């Protein structure tokens, strides 16, 4: 069934700007408590409402509110405000050169969303820490859009440790980023389907500095992300024949 209302949760304004322009979206000033930094932009596509929300700027540090903590609150309030029937977590990520991924390649989530840095080796809390929130089925979407799929893992560091790499191997993780598992927790509680589209800005299994790779590849990765998100929105808002 075609989606009637889609919500795209994003962290950085720079990641969202090409999508907001491509989908001809307008700012929605009433969406959030004015004390909060989150911002919303909405438009129409094939008769559906499509909204992008971003985490906004931290006024003390002048940078985007990246990471899992803003992502959870933003997702909950965005869902309350826009009542979507499907949610997409879109943004950039670290990828694995050793598994044949490319810089600027957009990966779709499959399987589950995990936290890779919530390590609590106490019975019960171990699996709780990892999250294991379900990802919506992307098999047909990924096939039609030509995307590779894998688990998406979130944590609160841009840097990657040897322990993280081992975790990604064990859990078949294709994308490392900082928000999706928190959006997945909220969607799981509210029984809403979620998948992620993440464009690779940097290789985490490469000796080059992640921050340098991120800066160098950011605009090209965001351009590819925009193209894929627009195609996914078209795909999701078209009722099957
Ligand atoms: N240097 C950037 C900071 C970006 S932090 C700046 O100037 O603002 C990384 C953001 O991109 C997060 O929102 C995260 O989801 C995503 N990301 C991209 N590559 C990542 C990686 N290797 N590890 C973790 N997050 C990554």
């Amino acid at each position: 069934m075609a989606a009637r209302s889609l919500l795209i949760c994003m962290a950085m304004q720079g990641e969202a700007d090409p999508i907001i322009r491509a989908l001809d979206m307008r700012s929605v000033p009433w969406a959030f408590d004015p004390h909060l930094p989150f911002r919303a932009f909405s438009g129409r596509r094939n008769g559906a409402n499509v909204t992008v929300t971003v985490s906004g700027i931290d006024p003390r540090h002048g940078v985007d509110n990246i990471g899992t903590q803003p992502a959870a609150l933003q997702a909950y309030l965005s869902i309350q405000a826009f009542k979507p029937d499907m949610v997409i977590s879109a943004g950039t990520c670290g990828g694995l050169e050793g598994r044949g991924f490319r810089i600027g390649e957009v990966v779709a989530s499959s399987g589950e969303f995990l936290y890779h840095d919530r390590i609590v080796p106490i019975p019960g809390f171990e699996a709780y820490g990892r999250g294991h929130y379900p990802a919506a089925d992307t098999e047909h979407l990924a096939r039609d859009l030509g995307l590779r799929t894998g688990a998406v893992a979130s944590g609160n560091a841009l840097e990657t440790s040897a322990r993280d790499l081992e975790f990604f191997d064990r859990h078949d993780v294709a994308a490392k980023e900082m928000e999706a598992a928190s959006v997945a927790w909220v969607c799981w509680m509210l029984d809403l389907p979620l998948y992620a589209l993440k464009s690779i800005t940097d290789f985490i299994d490469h000796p080059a500095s992640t921050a340098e790779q991120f800066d160098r590849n950011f605009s090209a990765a965001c351009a590819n992300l925009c193209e894929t998100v627009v195609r996914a929105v078209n795909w999701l808002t078209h009722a099957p024949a």
Side-chain angles (χ1 to χ4, degrees), residues 27-150:
S27 169
V28 185
W30 53 261
F32 302 111
D33 179 331
H35 292 92
L36 300 180
F38 313 130
R39 296 284 174 267
F41 304 85
S42 282
R44 307 269 307 162
R45 196 77 165 184
N46 301 323
N49 289 315
V50 184
T51 297
V52 165
T53 64
V54 297
S55 62
I57 304 296
D58 180 317
R60 298 161 311 152
H61 303 290
V63 295
D64 298 278
N65 287 299
I66 59 168
T68 60
Q69 177 183 328
L73 186 57
Q74 174 190 342
Y76 180 72
L77 293 173
S78 301
I79 290 166
Q80 295 307 305
F82 294 99
K83 308 271 180 257
D85 39 43
M86 160 145 267
V87 182
I88 300 174
S89 167
T92 59
C93 69
L96 291 151
E97 186 176 35
R99 285 187 46 200
F101 287 96
R102 286 172 283 103
I103 295 289
E105 176 170 355
V106 180
V107 179
S109 58
S110 65
E112 53 187 5
F113 291 95
L114 299 156
Y115 286 110
H116 56 270
D117 63 358
R118 298 203 318 187
I119 301 157
V120 190
I122 299 173
F125 287 96
E126 199 150 15
Y128 164 80
R130 288 192 299 267
H132 298 281
Y133 311 112
D137 183 0
T138 50
E139 193 190 330
H140 294 140
L141 175 107
R143 184 197 59 206
D144 291 355
L145 270 55
L147 307 176
R148 281 193 275 177
T149 63

Side-chain angles (χ1 to χ4, degrees), residues 11-12 15 66 92-94 157-158 176-179 201-202 204 210 214-215:
M12 300 176 69
E15 293 169 334
I66 59 168
T92 59
C93 69
L158 183 66
K176 166 186 182 274
E177 48 78 89
M178 300 174 67
E179 292 87 15
T201 44
D202 54 275
I204 55 178
T210 304
F214 180 89
D215 287 343

Side-chain angles (χ1 to χ4, degrees), residues 8 10 14-23 88-93 101-108 145-148 196-203 216-233:
I8 306 170
M10 305 188 68
E15 293 169 334
D17 279 338
I19 298 169
I20 292 166
R21 272 196 302 274
L23 293 175
I88 300 174
S89 167
T92 59
C93 69
F101 287 96
R102 286 172 283 103
I103 295 289
E105 176 170 355
V106 180
V107 179
L145 270 55
L147 307 176
R148 281 193 275 177
L197 295 172
K198 299 282 164 172
S199 185
I200 299 174
T201 44
D202 54 275
F203 288 134
R216 182 161 7 103
N217 300 321
F218 184 72
S219 25
C222 290
N224 289 354
L225 177 67
C226 173
E227 196 202 312
T228 302
V229 166
V230 170
R231 290 172 68 211
V233 165

